Amino acid sequence: MVLRSCICLFCSILVLTSCSSSPEKAKVEKAKAEEITFASNLDTVVIAQMQFQPALLTVHKGDTVVFVNKGIVNHDVTERVNKAWTSGELPVGTSWKFVPAKSSDYFCSIHVVMKGKIIVE
Amino acid sequence: MSTFKTFIAGIPSIIACSMLLSLTAFAQEKPKLSDPEVASVAVVANQIDIAYAEIAKEKAKDKNVLHFAETMSNDHKAIIAQAAALAKKLGVTPKDNAVSQQLLSNAEKTKTALRSKSGKAFDKAYIDNEVAYHKAVIAAVETLLIPETENAELKQLLQNVVPALKAHLAHAEMVQKEFK
């Protein structure tokens, strides 16, 4: 009985110690956080000064791209060749997210001289 | 008769040139403008392009000209809204002045010339005028309005508008190529 109590106490101490300060545990948690970040990788294109910045963006398949309109007028983001996808009109200060399935040239269909490209690797 | 027709056909270009020359002259002469006067010139310049766009929305036939006019109307209204919000914040009331008056006077002549056209001739006259007008306004904003402005926020707004004006010019020049 005394032996059982001692074993339980030892185990409790071991658990408490490992929870509070184990470097291995910390490593595991960090790895998980990186994995989550990688799984939901977010690339940003800022729309400002009548440009897509960056105009050329390379992403991994499955990455999310967010377009943020920091300009002074409304814009949109539209696939160039046959308008396969579009954000619709993006008012000033708003953003739009999407996961590109393949590489695309795109433009602002409101201001047709504004162009960009996404390369999906 | 053909000389008369040629003369009539050239009127929008003549007016656009006179607009360009008068704005360029202001940019070169650099009249002293207070911030309320700069605000007035900026608002008037936007209002004029909205007025041209409204005529185009009624008369244009070409889809690219119509699309351009729609964009001009929406963008210049958005810029005026931002200028108005800033003026309110700063407690500045736009003040009428010689530059604003000259712009409005020239714009009336241009609007009359545009209204006298129809069909493809209108589309060409409108887009030619937009190219000339945006060139003139860009020069005036960069060499007259921005240097004359004292308030940092008003100056920043004018600086932010320049890329939009340049994109409008590039867009207009792209559409203009259809008519050459």
Side-chain angles (χ1 to χ4, degrees):
Chain A
M1 185 68 183
V2 176
L3 180 64
R4 267 192 198 169
S5 300
C6 284
I7 290 170
C8 283
L9 182 64
F10 175 74
C11 287
S12 301
I13 291 167
L14 192 67
V15 167
L16 282 171
T17 309
S18 65
C19 281
S20 60
S21 61
S22 164
E24 284 183 12
K25 176 80 177 174
K27 268 185 199 170
V28 170
E29 283 172 355
K30 192 180 175 197
K32 278 183 181 169
E34 281 169 356
E35 199 175 273
I36 291 163
T37 307
F38 182 75
S40 59
N41 205 356
L42 197 69
D43 294 285
T44 303
V45 176
V46 172
I47 307 171
Q49 307 279 306
M50 304 301 277
Q51 292 175 340
F52 295 105
Q53 301 169 353
L56 174 62
L57 179 69
T58 302
V59 300
H60 294 109
K61 198 167 179 68
D63 284 357
T64 300
V65 180
V66 58
F67 290 83
V68 186
N69 183 2
K70 292 188 178 178
I72 60 169
V73 293
N74 295 358
H75 293 287
D76 68 27
V77 189
T78 303
E79 193 273 330
R80 258 176 80 190
V81 179
N82 48 19
K83 300 189 176 177
W85 48 262
T86 182
S87 62
E89 194 160 332
L90 285 176
V92 173
T94 63
S95 63
W96 175 68
K97 283 181 195 175
F98 92 123
V99 180
K102 58 181 182 179
S103 299
S104 316
D105 288 311
Y106 65 87
F107 74 138
C108 170
S109 74
I110 302 168
H111 309 96
V112 295
V113 295
M114 292 173 60
K115 293 168 187 170
K117 186 180 182 76
I118 295 173
I119 295 173
V120 180
E121 288 185 332
Chain B
M1 184 66 180
S2 69
T3 309
F4 179 70
K5 273 187 183 170
T6 309
F7 174 74
I8 294 294
I11 285 176
S13 303
I14 293 166
I15 290 168
C17 284
S18 74
M19 174 77 81
L20 182 67
L21 286 172
S22 64
L23 273 169
T24 307
F26 279 125
Q28 286 170 351
E29 287 168 14
K30 292 189 171 43
K32 187 68 192 158
L33 294 173
S34 64
D35 282 3
E37 287 171 332
V38 167
S40 168
V41 173
V43 169
V44 165
N46 280 288
Q47 285 171 336
I48 288 170
D49 209 43
I50 293 167
Y52 294 157
E54 294 308 317
I55 297 171
K57 282 159 70 178
E58 284 173 23
K59 303 195 70 161
K61 300 293 179 201
D62 182 274
K63 68 176 173 57
N64 292 328
V65 171
L66 272 170
H67 175 257
F68 179 82
E70 194 72 51
T71 300
M72 290 308 99
S73 178
N74 293 337
D75 282 5
H76 288 290
K77 281 176 186 171
I79 293 167
I80 287 177
Q82 288 172 42
L86 180 61
K88 188 178 176 186
K89 179 187 165 192
L90 300 174
V92 170
T93 304
K95 188 182 174 192
D96 199 13
N97 59 86
V99 182
S100 303
Q101 285 300 320
Q102 186 65 55
L103 286 176
L104 285 168
S105 169
N106 286 342
E108 282 309 310
K109 292 171 196 161
T110 304
K111 285 193 279 184
T112 303
L114 287 174
R115 286 195 186 103
S116 72
K117 301 255 174 201
S118 60
K120 196 172 178 179
F122 172 83
D123 291 344
K124 185 180 184 315
Y126 170 71
I127 209 70
D128 285 349
N129 182 62
E130 284 299 293
V131 169
Y133 186 67
H134 278 85
K135 280 181 182 171
V137 171
I138 290 164
V141 172
E142 286 185 326
T143 62
L144 176 66
L145 300 189
I146 291 173
E148 287 290 312
T149 304
E150 288 181 5
N151 181 276
E153 287 182 86
L154 181 56
K155 194 185 279 275
Q156 186 62 56
L157 177 63
L158 291 168
Q159 286 166 339
N160 290 343
V161 168
V162 172
L165 294 173
K166 288 183 174 174
H168 290 169
L169 173 60
H171 189 168
E173 286 174 333
M174 199 175 93
V175 177
Q176 190 183 41
K177 284 180 186 165
E178 290 175 32
F179 297 93
K180 284 187 175 171

